């Protein structure tokens, strides 16, 4: 069987990474891993157990004793923490507001990177996050850095929220995205940064299909190198 490649997709919040990563993985028959969901799952559990989201030691101990599982289904990825389906719960406003703090803790990041590396199979993997090309899979055959303007990302999030019955004004979404960008790029531990060998894609005026097709074309080329 042909050996698959590793595809790293990084970029800021709400750039459409997970939608694109899912489509790319499906088309190539690869495993999709949403690393943001893993930070969200830890944050969910910390909030539930009243653990301070700035306390690196307590969070790391928590991360060492919980089991986070990602299972792909036809409808999308299901996220489990200690056997509880938290797929919806990890998208709550409370988790979203606290996840940047959890993700900024150095020991937490070290443990997460280890877990994420162990999930990268030889069959081929598409992993999305903030530090995949720089820290998790530095030898990935294909690295993509995707972004879009804050307004465009807020517009996409607004449409997604409307479908799920969530009503949040555009202004709040813009502020939310801008403050997460700031937290993710300015943190000391593995800040969001484009890898020097990543391909930059500005998706502001591209459709989902156009972005996915572009990445698949690159993947086909790298696969045959
Ligand atoms: O992509 P997302 O919004 O689900 O990510 C949630 C948070 O986790 C976000 O604030 C950045 C952080 N994150 C990270 O620091 N490193 C990753 N590899 C993935 C996500």
């Amino acid at each position: 069987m042909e050996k698959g490649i590793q595809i790293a997709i990084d970029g800021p919040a709400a750039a459409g990474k997970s939608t694109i990563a899912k489509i790319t993985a499906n088309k190539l028959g690869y495993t999709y891993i949403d690393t943001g969901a893993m930070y969200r799952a830890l944050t969910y559990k910390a909030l539930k157990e009243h653990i301070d989201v700035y306390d690196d030691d307590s969070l790391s101990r928590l991360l060492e004793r919980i089991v986070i599982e990602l299972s792909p289904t036809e409808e999308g990825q299901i996220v489990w923490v200690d056997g509880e389906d938290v797929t919806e719960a990890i998208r709550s406003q409370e988790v979203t507001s606290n996840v940047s703090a959890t993700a900024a803790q150095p020991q937490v990041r070290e443990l997460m990177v280890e877990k994420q590396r162990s999930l990268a199979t030889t069959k081929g993997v598409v992993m999305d996050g903030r530090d995949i090309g720089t820290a998790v899979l530095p030898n990935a055959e294909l690295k993509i850095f995707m972004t879009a303007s804050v307004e465009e990302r807020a517009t996409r999030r607004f449409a997604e929220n409307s479908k799920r019955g969530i009503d949040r004004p555009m202004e709040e979404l813009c502020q939310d995205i801008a403050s997460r960008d700031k937290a993710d790029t300015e943190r000391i531990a593995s800040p969001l940064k484009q890898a020097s060998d990543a391909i930059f894609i500005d998706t502001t005026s591209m459709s989902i299909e156009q972005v996915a097709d572009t990445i698949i074309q690159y993947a086909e080329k790298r696969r045959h190198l």
Side-chain angles (χ1 to χ4, degrees), residues 17 35-36 39-40 91 99-100 103 109 129-132 180 184 187:
K17 297 184 300 291
T35 60
Y39 287 97
R40 286 174 179 272
R91 306 285 157 197
V99 66
S100 288
R109 295 206 72 85
R130 304 292 192 286
D131 61 341
I132 311 305
R180 278 217 285 152
D184 292 346
R187 70 172 175 233

Side-chain angles (χ1 to χ4, degrees), residues 161-172:
N161 280 351
S162 302
K163 270 193 231 150
R164 295 156 112 191
I166 302 170
D167 182 25
R168 288 195 68 215
M170 272 294 287
E171 207 173 294
E172 255 180 59

